[in-house]
Amino acid sequence: MDDYTAHEVAGVIAPPPLIYAAGLILGLLLGRMRPAALLPPRARGPRRAAGTALIAAGSGLGGWAVWTMARAGTGPNPRHPATALVVDGPFRYSRNPIYLSLTAIYLGITLLRNTLWPLLLLPAVLAVIRRGVIEREERYLLSRFGESYRAYQARVRRWV
């Protein structure tokens, strides 16, 4: 029995919003120290529109996912035990709609700030999310919900 089946939680390395925030803040700080524009100044209008749209879409998706989880009687905090396997709402399309929403918000802020550094750090953030959060959650959910979760994994992609 590994640590994930021995405990009632997934054992993620850190709260996912904190992981995204750390990458974004580090990128913004690097952007202040060594400015590097993501797009040229003439693209300000489309860049701002795209950034705003990503933040709105990410917020909407995240809100929908949290609402769907609450309706199912469980919460989004991976440091708390899962009380239900949620497979409807946005979870019909992605096993991780909240992380997808956080990625969209991260990209939206990057566009609004027009700095390259957060974008360059995003692959590292996503690697930490995958290895330190998603893979641990998947092992935990498999131990908690067994064949129901395995069937869900077979039906629904990890991201989109």
Side-chain angles (χ1 to χ4, degrees):
M1 184 181 294
D2 63 23
D3 290 340
Y4 303 104
T5 56
H7 296 94
E8 288 295 312
V9 294
V12 301
I13 61 167
L18 184 62
I19 296 168
Y20 279 94
L24 184 61
I25 290 167
L26 179 59
L28 294 174
L29 288 173
L30 286 169
R32 282 185 157 278
M33 293 171 28
R34 295 257 188 225
L38 184 59
L39 296 168
R42 69 180 179 280
R44 183 175 189 221
R47 178 182 52 77
R48 293 185 78 178
T52 301
L54 280 167
I55 292 170
S59 298
L61 177 60
W64 184 24
V66 169
W67 179 78
T68 302
M69 292 181 86
R71 232 183 47 204
T74 195
N77 189 339
R79 292 182 175 236
H80 294 161
T83 57
L85 179 60
V86 183
V87 298
D88 60 345
F91 295 91
R92 288 177 294 181
Y93 311 105
S94 170
R95 294 195 314 260
N96 296 289
I98 294 174
Y99 307 145
L100 191 58
S101 76
L102 290 170
T103 302
I105 293 167
Y106 182 109
L107 287 169
I109 293 169
T110 299
L111 282 169
L112 289 178
R113 295 301 305 256
N114 196 30
T115 181
L116 181 62
W117 294 106
L119 186 62
L120 295 177
L121 292 174
L122 183 58
V125 168
L126 294 176
V128 170
I129 288 293
R130 184 173 152 253
R131 301 278 295 161
V133 177
I134 293 173
E135 290 177 4
R136 292 169 186 231
E137 286 179 336
E138 288 177 344
R139 285 191 296 266
Y140 165 72
L141 292 171
L142 189 57
S143 73
R144 182 124 176 131
F145 298 106
E147 204 48 48
S148 296
Y149 185 70
R150 190 179 311 282
Y152 175 62
Q153 280 183 303
R155 273 193 330 271
V156 179
R157 295 171 59 98
R158 183 180 275 165
W159 290 95
V160 283

